[in-house]
Amino acid sequence: MTLVKEAPVRPAKKRSAAPAAGRRGRRRENLAGYLFMSPWIAGFLLLTAGPMIASLYYAFTSYNLFTPPKWVGLDNFTTMFQDPRWQKSVEVTLKYVVVATPLKLLLALGVALLLAQRRRGQALYRAAFYMPSLIGASVSVGFVWRALFSDDAVVDRTQKIFGVDVGGWIGNPDYVLYSLVALSIWQFGAPMVIFLAGLKQVPQELYEAAEMDGAGPLRRFWNITLPMISPVLFFNVLLESIHAFQVFGSAYVVSDTRCGPADATLVYTCYLYQKGFKEAQMGFASAMAWTLVVAVALVTAVLFWSQKKWVHYEEAAK
Amino acid sequence: MTSATSPVVRTASERRRAGSLAWHVGALLVLAVVLYPVIWVLGASFKPSKDIIASLDLLPTEPVWANFSGLADGISGISITSFFTNSLLYAVLAVVGVVLSSSLTAYALAKIRFVGRNVLFTLMIGTLLLPYHVLLIPQYVLFRNLGYIDTLVPLVAGKFLATEAFFVFLMVQFMRGLPRELDEAAKLDGCGHLRTYWSIVLPLSRPALITSAIFTFINAWNDFMGPLIYLNTPSKYTVSLGLMMFRDQEGISNYGSMIAMSLVALVPVIAFFVAFQRYLIDGMATSGLKG
């Protein structure tokens, strides 16, 4: 809220240039602005800022919901870093993020390139490819995935036909995480649509000029398409990796609520859920949550820093 | 002259046709892989339980209705309609909340010039990047202290308080694109902000409102973690939790009704999607491009 106080300077200056806005009019505008935003302001204070402060406090306490929080300093963090299950959850989550995000974006870009060509029935294809993104989050699809990937089920049997036998996916600690990765990749529709919108903005003249100069399709993709859509690519990388860090439902449902076997799908939020809501260790869970916030903030910062090197923004304003 | 050029034209059009054919073949192949699970679940819902895991056939050899008719019995004394009513109530309240509160907030950010607007806009966008798990525990403690556990209040409170920044952002972007002359003319005619909001900006923002409404409906319908944390009484369970109950009750033995129930649970989402996919996809694309 302290931030709000700094604001008057800039907008006030701007307004002095606007004609016919008297002091009373200005005050009325301010009042109207805050009245219209009052639901959001209440929500922000009550459900965002307040809880943030509370969870920061809980992170340094031992709190089981039934007795008042007890200050324990950095204890939660030191136990957490030494906790083998926490370490496992970090490992599982990182593996998930690093494998699922690039594969999903690759498929999204590939299909977007396919759909960017003007063809009959384009809209229908686009809609069909987008559908998994909407239903993918439901428990139903978790069940379907379980049925498809369980031992001796469709996926298992099909790959045996090709002579590959991994001994099932759902029951196998080495493979079960990849069934979740597959579920994530399957929902490539949202980044695909964003890629498509980006591809449509690339000026056709560039391709025509490059073709005149004798550039082949691969070269055109590398030297024109990729730089031109790099802002959209950046947006997708950012959004998808942040999402991937927070995966929960699919891990919980597909691996039968235990996030296993052998903690193989113990994604970060699954462990957080177990600690907070099964074991009522609210302090520990809050410490975990803040560690996640820091991790996500770091990833975001690194991505923003790296964009100078590979994201090309056009000089001309849109 | 014409006789000289026509063969060239024909080969070019032939090449184009071949390219088009290759494109469709490629697109259909990818589509087949992508839609396989959807088609599989459709087929599986008509298979006898023992065939669902074991059979490699996509479609049932002898279709049976038993999986669906079995649903009428409900799960441990609770009828399927109970889960559906609960989910529907949750989704409808969420839609009303999001559309009302987000559009009010968006109107202020897009159309009213007030002190602190830029700061509030930045704060609002900032909440987009915040992992919501950090709010999960204190919000639970808050709603628990207020006595709202096992009610819909914790699930929809945020929707009525515009905490879903994505939709506010979507609406701000849309309202900023509306011609300025319209609300300025309304102002000259003596319309206050409430009037301008209600009779001019809101009707014109329909595409953004519909997009937000459909996304909200589908998200609420699919929501799993919220109900998992806040609802305890099976009669108050939403469809997602009902599905989990099914798993606990029937286990692996009764795959048939589990798959049938999964399919039925997807029907509203798919129906919404089919009806409104254009809005959804365009909304997704614009929010990504301008972000």
Side-chain angles (χ1 to χ4, degrees):
Chain A
M1 279 316 278
T2 48
L3 282 172
V4 177
K5 284 181 194 143
E6 299 169 11
V9 193
R10 244 181 307 143
K13 253 188 212 157
K14 256 188 229 158
R15 191 137 338 94
S16 63
R23 185 174 287 176
R24 266 184 61 199
R26 240 177 278 161
R27 201 172 293 159
R28 204 182 298 149
E29 289 290 284
N30 286 341
L31 185 68
Y34 285 98
L35 276 178
F36 270 79
M37 283 203 75
S38 55
W40 179 83
I41 293 171
F44 180 74
L45 294 177
L46 208 71
L47 298 176
T48 309
M52 271 178 83
I53 296 165
S55 80
L56 192 60
Y57 168 66
Y58 293 152
F60 298 99
T61 65
S62 164
Y63 183 33
N64 66 2
L65 280 180
F66 302 103
T67 51
K70 203 178 89 207
W71 187 266
V72 294
L74 288 171
D75 276 10
N76 285 328
F77 291 94
T78 46
T79 9
M80 185 174 81
F81 293 138
Q82 286 159 9
D83 177 1
R85 288 195 79 204
W86 180 82
Q87 290 165 3
K88 176 81 183 179
S89 78
V90 171
E91 185 200 315
V92 167
T93 309
L94 287 179
K95 208 190 268 177
Y96 178 83
V97 172
V98 168
V99 179
T101 314
L103 288 177
K104 183 179 189 169
L105 291 181
L106 217 61
L107 184 61
L109 181 58
V111 175
L113 284 169
L114 196 66
L115 293 192
Q117 298 181 30
R118 266 170 209 275
R119 303 281 180 191
R120 223 173 239 257
Q122 200 179 27
L124 214 62
Y125 282 111
R126 198 179 64 154
F129 284 127
Y130 187 73
M131 185 162 72
S133 288
L134 277 179
I135 60 172
S138 64
V139 173
S140 299
V141 172
F143 278 167
V144 172
W145 229 251
R146 226 185 124 66
L148 285 173
F149 280 87
S150 47
D151 304 355
D152 221 28
V154 183
V155 174
D156 203 20
R157 279 164 175 251
T158 313
Q159 68 196 14
K160 272 178 195 155
I161 295 173
F162 296 101
V164 186
D165 187 1
V166 300
W169 291 62
I170 300 291
N172 185 338
D174 293 335
Y175 283 90
V176 61
L177 187 66
Y178 296 103
S179 68
L180 296 184
V181 168
L183 179 50
S184 160
I185 298 172
W186 186 58
Q187 301 167 51
F188 67 91
M192 172 202 74
V193 168
I194 293 169
F195 275 134
L196 251 176
L199 286 170
K200 277 195 188 139
Q201 309 256 317
V202 183
Q204 285 304 309
E205 303 92 75
L206 289 179
Y207 291 116
E208 283 156 19
E211 211 162 348
M212 297 263 229
D213 292 345
L218 212 61
R219 220 187 146 124
R220 270 174 283 163
F221 173 76
W222 195 254
N223 289 335
I224 301 172
T225 312
L226 216 49
M228 290 301 282
I229 63 161
S230 57
V232 175
L233 181 63
F234 173 72
F235 179 83
N236 272 336
V237 171
L238 186 69
L239 214 66
E240 291 302 328
S241 42
I242 291 178
H243 275 168
F245 268 103
Q246 302 178 35
V247 61
F248 173 74
S250 60
Y252 189 81
V253 175
V254 172
S255 56
D256 212 12
T257 77
R258 285 187 301 268
C259 301
D263 286 346
T265 57
L266 188 73
V267 291
Y268 200 83
T269 53
C270 203
Y271 194 41
L272 195 153
Y273 171 79
Q274 288 183 358
K275 278 290 176 186
F277 297 95
K278 293 273 165 191
E279 300 174 26
Q281 294 193 37
M282 294 302 188
F284 188 95
S286 298
M288 274 190 79
W290 274 99
T291 311
L292 179 66
V293 171
V294 171
V296 168
L298 272 176
V299 169
T300 312
V302 167
L303 281 174
F304 267 98
W305 169 80
S306 79
Q307 70 166 338
K308 268 182 266 157
K309 303 212 186 309
W310 62 276
V311 180
H312 303 270
Y313 290 103
E314 264 187 290
E315 302 300 320
K318 266 185 217 166
Chain B
M1 280 299 268
T2 41
S3 58
T5 48
S6 60
V8 182
V9 172
R10 200 175 298 149
T11 48
S13 82
E14 261 165 24
R15 202 180 303 148
R16 203 170 304 138
R17 206 170 299 156
S20 174
L21 189 70
W23 184 89
H24 279 285
V25 169
L28 283 172
L29 271 176
V30 185
L31 196 63
V33 176
V34 168
L35 290 188
Y36 180 84
V38 181
I39 299 161
W40 180 85
V41 70
L42 259 172
S45 66
F46 293 103
K47 290 178 193 166
S49 272
K50 62 174 171 54
D51 284 357
I52 288 174
I53 292 293
S55 152
L56 272 186
D57 301 332
L58 198 52
L59 298 174
T61 37
E62 297 160 35
V64 290
W65 272 106
N67 301 328
F68 289 100
S69 55
L71 290 180
D73 302 338
I75 308 158
S76 45
I78 297 159
S79 76
I80 303 294
T81 43
S82 161
F83 300 129
F84 275 80
T85 318
N86 295 335
S87 275
L88 197 65
L89 187 64
Y90 173 21
V92 168
L93 282 175
V95 167
V96 172
V98 163
V99 168
L100 271 181
S101 67
S102 304
S103 64
L104 277 170
T105 304
Y107 177 85
L109 291 171
K111 293 289 180 190
I112 307 178
R113 308 195 111 234
F114 63 98
V115 171
R117 177 174 74 165
N118 294 330
V119 177
L120 292 186
F121 185 67
T122 312
L123 272 180
M124 198 265 310
I125 294 295
T127 61
L128 265 179
L129 292 174
L130 190 73
Y132 84 103
H133 299 90
V134 77
L135 310 174
L136 201 65
I137 282 156
Q139 282 185 1
Y140 179 80
V141 174
L142 174 78
F143 286 118
R144 196 171 171 275
N145 290 340
L146 293 173
Y148 285 132
I149 299 300
D150 210 21
T151 70
L152 280 177
V153 174
L155 300 179
V156 299
K159 319 277 197 245
F160 280 90
L161 297 176
T163 55
E164 309 234 346
F166 176 77
F167 300 123
V168 180
F169 177 64
L170 197 80
M171 292 181 199
V172 169
Q173 295 295 86
F174 195 87
M175 288 179 188
R176 277 183 179 160
L178 295 177
R180 214 160 226 304
E181 293 77 24
L182 283 172
D183 46 290
E184 271 165 10
K187 205 178 197 174
L188 285 178
D189 287 347
C191 282
H193 279 302
L194 206 57
R195 183 87 191 260
T196 313
Y197 159 77
W198 188 256
S199 340
I200 293 169
V201 172
L202 217 50
L204 287 173
S205 308
R206 222 164 55 197
L209 301 184
I210 293 177
T211 306
S212 307
I214 300 157
F215 267 120
T216 306
F217 186 94
I218 292 173
N219 288 348
W221 192 270
N222 283 342
D223 187 14
F224 175 59
M225 202 180 202
L228 179 70
I229 288 170
Y230 286 111
L231 303 178
N232 309 323
T233 317
S235 65
K236 291 177 179 168
Y237 278 6
T238 58
V239 172
S240 322
L241 291 184
L243 273 165
M244 286 311 277
M245 257 179 102
F246 226 99
R247 180 200 61 96
D248 297 337
Q249 281 293 297
E250 316 269 331
I252 307 296
S253 58
N254 197 350
Y255 253 113
S257 33
M258 208 157 91
I259 289 294
M261 172 83 179
S262 300
L263 190 66
V264 175
L266 283 178
V267 166
V269 179
I270 293 178
F272 258 76
F273 173 72
V274 169
F276 296 106
Q277 48 92 6
R278 180 165 305 171
Y279 282 108
L280 281 175
I281 291 173
D282 290 344
M284 195 68 221
T286 30
S287 64
L289 258 197
K290 290 175 182 168

